[in-house]
Amino acid sequence: MIRSFFPGLSNNPVAAFAAAAGVGLVLLVLPLVAGELLGNFWVRLMAMALLYVMLALGLNIVVGFAGLLDLGYVAFYAVGAYMYALLASPHLAEQFEWIARLFPNGLHADIWMIVPLGVGIAALFGVLLGAPVLKLRGDYLAIVTLGFGEIIRIFLNNLNSPVNITNGPQGITGIDPIRIAGTPMPRSLELFGITFHRLHLYYYLFLVLAIAIIVISIRLQDSRIGRAWMAIREDEVAAKAMGINTRNVKLLAFAMGATFGGVAGSMFAAFQGFISPESFVLMESIQIVAMVVLGGMGHVPGVVLGAILLYGIPEALRIIAKPSQIFLFGEEIVPTEALRMLLFGGSMVAIMLIRPKGLWPPPRHGERAAPPGGAGGGDGSPGGGGGSDIPIARIQGGAPGPLAPERA
């Protein structure tokens, strides 16, 4: 894992461990410093960025590892969020008398129940999406998954009659904060003379979950199933000829990617305290796909970088666009929202022109990953961390690819 994020220190484990410890220390201290100097808005922004890291890593399994273009990924995000909202709010008890009799104090699910449920239900929906589309690829797969995401949103938007389950477009309010061992997350906690507000506690919870998902993603990438996904991505016919059960492997990719989305959705509902179908529109799916592509498809550190930048930069521009114009020109010339999207879109176009394989693309098989901005180009040339091709034959100086024929 450490070698993936610090490729230049792969031959020096002590230095790599020290660098990882330094980054960890910065991540622990950052919300306290930002909250004290800049305000809680920036702590909230960092917490939401970690949520999008989870989402991007989940989609990376489907798009980056298995090569299956999914434009309906936000559906799993919505499923996890509504699952938490229904189990941790008074909504169901108010709508159904038998639930009110069974739970007179209301439904208040614990995190140890919510996370496994979010994983299981989202995985089930992932299989339900994957099963009908196993023979589709490319544009056709994208259209079908887009439709699946919209069906889930419309379904949530209209499931308020004749039985009110989701409360329709009005959404669900009064959602409990995260509960651990029956105790809700406190509004503030003092440890070692430092006061941690609830916003800080959510940030640390999301950080732990994001690190766990990063570890799982890297372990999956290096596993037998991860190499099977990459073989399907490169050539499904050849993968099937080599004995890979492409049907089960693709279903597993959909299910595994969906689990991360379900966990992120449940955390989002607890963090917001309110959800509605408007939080799960098509643009959310497109933004998550853009995070994967911008960072580097199939490369976990690149996807993490892409998620942080793609969520953080637009939100930061929202704050600094108007003051910057007033400072430079004495008045607001371009509306903040228009300028924000203009700068954001222009920067994305420029990045994709300069580094078409992403800011931090995966290394070629047998090469070390180059950090973003390192030597070489983004076109897959040596030293640039280039393409993600998995070669069929043995690469000079590297290990045999997953489809390499056995040598006599």
Side-chain angles (χ1 to χ4, degrees):
M1 174 182 169
I2 294 177
R3 285 182 297 177
S4 298
F5 283 86
F6 304 101
L9 301 176
S10 57
N11 295 326
N12 191 340
V14 175
F17 181 80
V23 171
L25 182 62
V26 169
L27 290 174
L28 290 175
V29 174
L30 190 59
L32 299 175
V33 176
E36 189 69 27
L37 299 180
L38 303 174
N40 285 335
F41 168 82
W42 295 93
V43 182
R44 183 180 181 84
L45 188 151
M46 289 185 288
M48 287 298 298
L50 290 173
L51 273 182
Y52 277 94
V53 167
M54 300 181 214
L55 289 169
L57 288 171
L59 185 61
N60 183 55
I61 290 180
V62 182
V63 176
F65 291 170
L68 305 169
L69 183 55
D70 185 356
L71 293 181
Y73 188 73
V74 74
F76 310 123
Y77 188 36
V79 166
Y82 270 88
M83 182 275 302
Y84 181 91
L86 293 174
L87 294 178
S89 74
H91 178 73
L92 287 181
E94 292 172 354
Q95 301 300 321
F96 301 97
E97 290 185 6
W98 63 272
I99 294 180
R101 288 196 298 269
L102 287 174
F103 302 95
N105 295 324
L107 284 169
H108 304 286
D110 199 274
I111 187 173
W112 308 118
M113 175 184 177
I114 287 167
V115 172
L117 268 179
V119 167
I121 294 176
L124 175 62
F125 273 82
V127 173
L128 291 177
L129 167 62
V133 301
L134 288 175
K135 295 186 180 297
L136 299 179
R137 289 188 67 85
D139 299 341
Y140 301 102
L141 177 61
I143 292 171
V144 172
T145 54
L146 185 154
F148 175 80
E150 285 299 286
I151 287 170
I152 295 295
R153 184 185 64 82
I154 294 170
F155 184 72
L156 295 173
N157 206 38
N158 291 278
L159 201 59
N160 58 343
S161 63
V163 180
N164 187 2
I165 297 178
T166 64
N167 208 29
Q170 296 179 351
I172 299 177
T173 59
I175 302 173
D176 294 341
I178 287 291
R179 302 174 72 89
I180 301 176
T183 304
M185 186 175 288
R187 292 189 176 276
S188 63
L189 181 67
E190 187 167 342
L191 289 174
F192 310 111
I194 303 174
T195 301
F196 298 89
H197 299 290
R198 181 177 288 179
L199 204 56
H200 299 127
L201 299 179
Y202 270 115
Y203 168 86
Y204 292 123
L205 174 62
F206 295 169
L207 180 62
V208 170
L209 290 173
I211 291 174
I213 290 175
I214 289 171
V215 172
I216 293 171
S217 295
I218 292 176
R219 297 296 294 171
L220 280 172
Q221 182 179 6
D222 296 333
S223 69
R224 183 175 181 179
I225 189 66
R227 295 189 180 279
W229 283 334
M230 296 175 195
I232 291 175
R233 179 189 67 195
E234 300 304 324
D235 192 328
E236 185 174 347
V237 176
K240 186 179 293 186
M242 294 298 293
I244 295 174
N245 189 329
T246 57
R247 181 195 64 184
N248 291 352
V249 169
K250 287 163 75 172
L251 281 177
L252 185 59
F254 277 112
M256 196 70 209
T259 59
F260 297 163
V263 172
S266 61
M267 295 299 106
F268 172 75
F271 188 57
Q272 293 286 97
F274 165 79
I275 59 168
S276 73
E278 295 304 313
S279 299
F280 310 104
V281 295
L282 174 62
M283 280 306 299
E284 286 290 313
S285 282
I286 294 175
Q287 185 177 12
I288 299 168
V289 172
M291 291 172 180
V292 176
V293 175
L294 181 72
M297 287 194 298
H299 194 219
V300 173
V303 172
V304 172
L305 177 65
I308 293 173
L309 293 180
L310 208 52
Y311 179 79
I313 291 176
E315 293 301 320
L317 288 174
R318 190 194 302 273
I319 299 300
I320 66 175
K322 183 175 180 179
S324 299
Q325 291 186 76
I326 293 176
F327 176 77
L328 293 173
F329 310 110
E331 60 178 345
E332 184 182 11
I333 299 176
V334 182
T336 300
E337 188 65 20
L339 180 61
R340 183 175 76 95
M341 296 310 297
L342 177 65
L343 293 174
F344 175 62
S347 62
M348 279 197 64
V349 171
I351 289 172
M352 295 314 296
L353 288 174
I354 297 170
R355 297 186 68 84
K357 291 188 177 295
L359 289 173
W360 197 348
R364 284 175 178 261
H365 191 61
E367 294 179 359
R368 291 186 305 178
D379 57 352
S381 57
S388 59
D389 299 335
I390 304 297
I392 293 179
R394 187 183 183 94
I395 289 182
Q396 184 70 26
L403 303 181
E406 295 183 0
R407 300 181 67 180

